[in-house]
Amino acid sequence: MSSELTVGLLGAGMIAGVHAHAYRAAAGVRLVAVADPVPGKAERIAEQYGAQVVPDLDAILDLGVDVVDICTPPTTHADATIRALEAGRHVLCEKPITRTVEEARRVLAAAEAAPGILSIGQVARYGPDHRLARDVAEAGEIGQVRMITHSTTTSLPGWSEAGWLADPATSGGPLLDQAVHSFDYAAWVIGSPAVRVHCMAADSGAGPNTYTLATVRYANGAIAHVECSWAHPVSRGFKLRAEIVGTEGRISWDYDHLMGGVLHQRESDTEWWDVLGDREFTRELGAFFDAVRAGGPPPVPATEATESLRTALGALESARTGRTIDLTTWETL
Ligand SMILES: NC(=O)c1ccc[n+]([C@@H]2O[C@H](COP(=O)([O-])OP(=O)(O)OC[C@H]3O[C@@H](n4cnc5c(N)ncnc54)[C@H](O)[C@@H]3O)[C@@H](O)[C@H]2O)c1
């Protein structure tokens, strides 16, 4: 591998644009190709970043890129990830790792057998506030973490191609698409696997199970409360509220927009409107490229992302059945 890393981007929707923007901050990384079946979408990103438009994943692989960055809907993640890994490439795949546990197991097997690095885009681990709070907790400044509250509430996102986010069969609704960030973050900070999940959910005009409240128990005895909604009024925007409570103290933060925030510098123009989100993704992608150069380990291992997927799917199952799901024994596809 030369010192420059070349990247092929699969999918040219909302998050692909954010990734493409974040590559600019990664030294020695070049976006060379973009593929998307919807006419005009790949062109928009390719033109902006000097890449070429190609028809599909096979064409990306034919170019011999070092890295495939998968930014397509979850139902396409497994096949694309496996194909790219089997072709010997490094893969960054957006969250959730896959739509189903069966698909995730196939991805894990492929990753085990392949030489490339596979990391999953559980980006909450890289949010400046989330990362700092975790570092403070890990340093023992609040004692032993016993409880996390993580709440993300908004309206049904309106940007997805042909509305796939509104289709639970594709997106899993907010409990999978959005709360998987909360489940992943909580398990990572607590540092212990989720063992039980209970969830209540209500329907709204945004779809089934779109107001949701879940509680999770971890193997070390800690607990988490995850609130997630796509059923709040559009005009209210995105709100995040988080608290980590330990035996010796607590940390909390909250804000009105997930990727809001504008940096006004004294001597220069205002930075990109999405400066906080930009930093989150810049850090995520930077950590991935560093891992590729170092030969591993992956910053967000597929095994951990699979546990976050199982917790989200367990919450959906709990909401459906009214049962508490024992994740240590639960078998699901
Ligand atoms: N980390 C985050 O905070 C975050 C935020 C948004 C989305 N995501 C994730 O990113 C992924 C994409 O979401 P999005 O919001 O960008 O959706 P999107 O609908 O805006 O974009 C997805 C794109 O993939 C394209 N596509 C579909 N099948 C394809 C295929 N086989 N080959 C190439 N392109 C294909 C679609 O045409 C579309 O342009 C999802 O897994 C989603 O969960 C993560």
Side-chain angles (χ1 to χ4, degrees), residues 124-141:
R125 300 186 188 199
Y126 292 95
D129 41 20
H130 285 68
R131 171 64 63 143
L132 183 60
R134 181 264 192 178
D135 290 349
V136 166
E138 180 143 286
E141 292 188 38

Side-chain angles (χ1 to χ4, degrees), residues 147-151 174-176 179-180 182-183 186 196-202 211-218 223-229 311-319 323-324 327:
M147 182 174 82
I148 292 183
T149 298
H150 202 263
S151 166
L175 268 172
L176 178 55
V180 76
S182 307
F183 295 129
R196 280 202 299 284
V197 61
H198 190 91
C199 179
M200 290 190 195
Y211 298 103
T212 72
L213 294 169
T215 48
V216 187
R217 169 76 75 185
Y218 296 85
I223 54 174
H225 179 211
V226 170
E227 178 184 35
C228 181
S229 160
T311 309
L313 293 178
L316 269 167
E317 178 71 357
S318 174
R323 289 190 294 119
T324 297
L327 294 166

Side-chain angles (χ1 to χ4, degrees), residues 41 159-165 167:
K41 291 187 84 163
W159 65 75
S160 63
E161 184 63 41
W164 67 263
L165 277 168
D167 172 17

Side-chain angles (χ1 to χ4, degrees), residues 9 11-14 16-17 34-49 51-55 161:
L9 187 54
M14 196 284 281
V34 189
D36 193 297
V38 176
K41 291 187 84 163
E43 284 77 357
R44 267 199 295 276
I45 293 180
E47 276 163 22
Q48 208 177 341
Y49 297 97
Q52 65 174 295
V53 174
V54 294
E161 184 63 41

Side-chain angles (χ1 to χ4, degrees), residues 173-319:
L175 268 172
L176 178 55
D177 183 77
Q178 190 167 299
V180 76
H181 285 300
S182 307
F183 295 129
D184 184 78
Y185 181 72
W188 182 59
V189 173
I190 287 169
S192 179
V195 292
R196 280 202 299 284
V197 61
H198 190 91
C199 179
M200 290 190 195
D203 302 344
S204 76
N209 299 324
T210 40
Y211 298 103
T212 72
L213 294 169
T215 48
V216 187
R217 169 76 75 185
Y218 296 85
N220 69 1
I223 54 174
H225 179 211
V226 170
E227 178 184 35
C228 181
S229 160
W230 278 352
H232 282 61
V234 177
S235 55
R236 174 179 166 277
F238 190 107
K239 306 235 184 279
L240 183 145
R241 194 166 44 81
E243 183 179 44
I244 305 177
V245 191
T247 49
E248 310 294 333
R250 70 182 278 277
I251 315 164
S252 69
W253 67 103
D254 59 82
Y255 43 79
D256 276 0
H257 299 281
L258 180 61
M259 291 189 276
V262 176
L263 178 64
H264 296 278
Q265 288 175 321
R266 203 179 293 275
E267 305 296 343
S268 69
D269 290 341
T270 301
E271 249 192 48
W272 196 40
W273 68 273
D274 211 359
V275 64
L276 292 182
D278 195 26
R279 286 187 184 183
E280 184 172 46
F281 285 93
T282 299
R283 287 169 188 216
E284 175 188 62
L285 270 60
F288 172 72
F289 293 127
D290 286 349
V292 166
R293 288 199 168 95
V300 181
T303 46
E304 293 178 17
T306 299
E307 287 311 305
S308 303
L309 168 74
R310 284 184 82 243
T311 309
L313 293 178
L316 269 167
E317 178 71 357
S318 174

